[in-house]
Amino acid sequence: MKKVVMGSMMFLAGLLSCSILIAGSTLKDITINGKYSFLWNLSSLGLVPVTVLFSAIALAGFLIALWGLLDKNN
């Protein structure tokens, strides 16, 4: 049960961090052909490695939670 809680919290933290970065990058007025691109904004601000790190934390948390759910040794 502890793995599920820890994995869920890691997943939530990574997911919220990524969503805050993506939402914040769309607020900046950098456009491509009149359309906003969050990837272009993230790369221009230098935040792509941070977004990848937060995505990796979310993925690791999801895998830990899944491992805790499928663990037979309770």
Side-chain angles (χ1 to χ4, degrees):
M1 187 68 177
K2 293 177 186 177
K3 291 179 205 170
V4 175
V5 172
M6 185 185 85
S8 299
M9 295 307 287
M10 282 178 62
F11 179 69
L12 180 67
L15 194 67
L16 284 176
S17 300
C18 283
S19 64
I20 288 171
L21 279 177
I22 290 171
S25 71
T26 57
L27 294 176
K28 193 156 172 70
D29 289 336
I30 299 174
T31 61
I32 300 173
N33 295 331
K35 295 183 181 180
Y36 290 102
S37 170
F38 75 93
L39 280 176
W40 177 262
N41 291 340
L42 284 177
S43 66
S44 69
L45 296 172
L47 292 174
V48 173
V50 178
T51 307
V52 169
L53 176 70
F54 288 149
S55 298
I57 290 171
L59 180 65
F62 179 74
L63 292 176
I64 291 171
L66 190 64
W67 177 34
L69 282 175
L70 300 176
D71 192 17
K72 302 268 188 214
N73 299 329
N74 288 333

